[in-house]
Amino acid sequence: MSLFVQKYGGTSVGSVERIEAVADRVSRFHRDGHDLVIVLSAMSGETNRLIALAKQVQEQPNPRELDVLVSTGEQVTIALLSMALIKRGIEARSYTGGQVRVVTDSAFNKARIQHIDVEHMQADLAARRVVVVAGFQGVDQAGNITTLGRGGSDTTGVALAAALKADECQIYTDVDGVYTTDPRMVPKARRLEKVTFEEMLEMASLGSKVLQIRSVEFAGKYKVPLRVLSSFQEGPGTLITLDEEQESMEQPLVSGIAYSRDEAKITLVGVPDMPGVASKVLGPIGEANIEVDVIVQNVAANNSNDLTFTVGRNDLGRAKAVVQRVLAEVGAEEVLTADNIAKVSLVGVGMRSHAGVAARMFAVLAKENINIQMITTSEIKISVIIDERYLELAVRALHTEFDLDKKDSDSIE
Ligand code: ADP
Ligand code: ASP
Ligand code: MG
């Protein structure tokens, strides 16, 4: 018999009916003799609702108090699921992150898991109880409630699976696996049977929210077998694999396309062409805890440059304020900002051994008359920044160009 950690996301526990459906699925696994630790998200929309409440009271909510507030969402669903299981004659016990003791650092709103106590869970499992744990939350050394960042229940699931040495961590969500791109944007997207950790890591960090990036990092580091499946239908889902063999076999050039609307750019116009400028600008941005993504500096004829970089859209206001403070010091003429941009990325380990992917990508965008504002590449990905208006068009055109569209023979449903 196996030990499974199953994580159910917001839509999968979005109503009492959905929670009953999860309870049915969990009971089936339990009756088949498996040991189960269940990790739950809050009901869909609940975390957003709580954050909006906080903002009504305090424009920039106090980070510690925000965690006390948003962690309540998960406490509701774990209790309801446990009741639904008990009703079915299965012994179940729910625990908050603090009760399990998911110990994190003290970075409120984006805490990192440091350690998980497994003794209590193991005792429950030995007594054939189903353990139901609140995702997304932990507790720091001082006993403060912390949360792990949006989408953090995925990371709770994988971290518990690693700590308990589970046979598999199963992420149940509202789509039946990892697709070539977001199936809600591209109906022709195809489910992937397998995807490598490396690719999944890129997809997650480039905007595919199906798995939180930290959960993929964790799974890679501790070699946790990880699968994404649907809580609405049966099916094999997508296995995230460490399989090196897969890489040596024939690879598609591009495995998936990720996109992100969470982008904004800042341009310093007329920056003198001399050493130290980039560090004078980007140093204070880093100190303000603002993450910079793509950076481009133009070569100019008249000894002055334009320096452009992108930040998360939520950070634009703060980043602009920082840049305005150093504007005079670096001798730049003005600062321009734009938040109507988006990032589109091709991801695939197959790119490593093939040249010409970028050229093909740029040709497709040119044909669609989409202007590329910035470009950045690594071994297994190419990202471009474009006008947000053309995002869907770009993703769809690239999806077709790189042979990712579902063939008619693929759709059995
Ligand atoms: P949950 O609430 O279960 O955690 P999320 O909304 O966080 O679910 O993640 C699932 C969603 O991720 C899907 O509904 C889908 O729209 C989106 N998504 C984005 N990119 C992909 C992809 N490549 N494959 C599958 N889903 C994707
Ligand atoms: N409820 C949290 C969120 O909405 C965590 C999660 O669902 O993974 O971000
Ligand atoms: Mg999620």
Side-chain angles (χ1 to χ4, degrees):
M1 288 305 120
S2 304
L3 167 59
F4 294 127
V5 174
Q6 301 186 330
K7 176 260 171 177
Y8 291 88
T11 318
S12 306
V13 293
S15 64
V16 167
E17 291 71 31
R18 293 302 314 156
I19 289 175
E20 297 278 8
V22 169
D24 283 338
R25 180 183 298 273
V26 172
S27 347
R28 279 201 305 277
F29 274 89
H30 189 259
R31 299 227 154 89
D32 287 344
H34 301 297
D35 287 334
L36 293 158
V37 173
I38 311 299
V39 174
L40 298 186
S41 288
M43 289 179 163
S44 55
E46 177 64 3
T47 310
N48 288 344
R49 188 185 74 86
L50 293 168
I51 293 172
L53 262 181
K55 286 187 173 161
Q56 280 180 39
V57 177
Q58 203 182 9
E59 205 177 322
Q60 294 262 9
N62 175 277
R64 181 187 183 280
E65 301 313 320
L66 186 62
D67 278 352
V68 174
L69 179 67
V70 296
S71 61
T72 60
E74 273 71 10
Q75 195 166 334
V76 171
T77 50
I78 55 169
L80 292 174
L81 178 68
S82 299
M83 291 174 198
L85 288 169
I86 292 165
K87 183 171 79 179
R88 285 166 175 73
I90 291 172
E91 267 200 81
R93 278 194 190 166
S94 65
Y95 298 100
T96 64
Q99 285 176 315
V100 170
R101 275 184 64 80
V102 176
V103 182
T104 71
D105 62 18
S106 304
F108 295 114
N109 314 162
K110 48 172 187 267
R112 280 184 179 269
I113 297 176
Q114 292 174 330
H115 169 80
I116 294 177
D117 289 346
V118 290
E119 296 76 28
H120 290 116
M121 288 187 287
Q122 278 168 342
D124 280 331
L125 293 174
R128 285 293 291 150
R129 283 193 278 267
V130 174
V131 177
V132 184
V133 178
F136 177 52
Q137 53 178 262
V139 62
D140 72 3
Q141 295 288 357
N144 298 297
I145 295 174
T146 55
T147 64
L148 309 178
R150 297 307 305 270
S153 299
D154 296 335
T155 301
T156 306
V158 177
L160 286 177
L164 292 160
K165 302 192 173 49
D167 293 291
E168 191 166 274
C169 180
Q170 302 170 336
I171 306 284
Y172 284 93
T173 182
D174 55 6
V175 285
D176 65 344
V178 178
Y179 276 68
T180 46
T181 192
D182 187 347
R184 296 193 197 287
M185 179 187 274
V186 181
K188 285 182 185 161
R190 212 163 14 93
R191 182 175 60 80
L192 297 166
E193 209 59 51
K194 279 181 174 185
V195 58
T196 68
F197 271 104
E198 212 182 353
E199 288 169 326
M200 197 60 239
L201 208 53
E202 288 286 3
M203 301 250 294
S205 74
L206 295 167
S208 306
K209 69 167 184 169
V210 61
L211 285 175
Q212 197 200 34
I213 176 162
R214 281 187 189 169
S215 71
V216 187
E217 284 168 0
F218 232 102
K221 190 166 166 194
Y222 296 98
K223 307 211 177 337
V224 178
L226 183 61
R227 192 184 290 277
V228 175
L229 337 88
S230 166
S231 70
F232 292 77
Q233 64 190 82
E234 297 301 319
T238 299
L239 187 67
I240 323 294
T241 160
L242 278 168
D243 210 352
E244 297 296 327
E245 224 173 85
Q246 205 201 342
E247 275 206 42
S248 57
M249 278 162 28
E250 194 164 334
Q251 270 293 326
L253 212 49
V254 172
S255 300
I257 303 179
Y259 67 84
S260 160
R261 298 177 195 273
D262 174 35
E263 308 285 329
K265 72 172 181 179
I266 298 188
T267 303
L268 278 86
V269 181
V271 187
D273 189 15
M274 55 191 217
V277 169
S279 109
K280 274 191 195 134
V281 176
L282 298 176
I285 293 277
E287 279 155 30
N289 225 335
I290 298 169
E291 229 174 278
V292 172
D293 183 12
V294 188
I295 306 171
V296 169
Q297 185 174 289
N298 294 349
V299 191
N302 59 349
N303 266 357
S304 85
N305 291 331
D306 286 353
L307 174 66
T308 304
F309 59 92
T310 64
V311 296
R313 213 174 269 185
N314 281 334
D315 288 331
L316 180 60
R318 283 198 309 131
K320 188 176 179 188
V322 172
V323 170
Q324 266 159 345
R325 271 209 314 276
V326 298
L327 200 63
E329 195 192 333
V330 297
E333 284 161 23
E334 60 172 330
V335 47
L336 305 174
T337 62
D339 66 357
N340 56 346
I341 57 165
K343 182 165 68 176
V344 182
S345 310
L346 304 184
V347 175
V349 292
M351 278 184 216
R352 244 200 294 261
S353 46
H354 287 88
V357 181
R360 240 169 104 187
M361 178 186 202
F362 303 156
V364 170
L365 296 174
K367 196 168 129 231
E368 299 294 342
N369 241 330
I370 300 171
N371 187 40
I372 300 171
Q373 302 181 13
M374 302 168 91
I375 303 167
T376 155
T377 67
S378 78
E379 243 197 333
I380 66 159
K381 72 123 202 274
I382 304 169
S383 303
V384 296
I385 300 285
I386 59 171
D387 189 321
E388 187 182 358
R389 261 183 303 176
Y390 304 120
L391 178 62
E392 289 201 24
L393 176 61
V395 174
R396 288 188 180 152
L398 290 165
H399 200 266
T400 303
E401 167 68 20
F402 287 96
D403 291 330
L404 298 173
D405 287 355
K406 182 158 59 183
K407 318 271 182 305
D408 283 343
S409 56
D410 289 346
S411 48
I412 328 149
E413 300 98 325

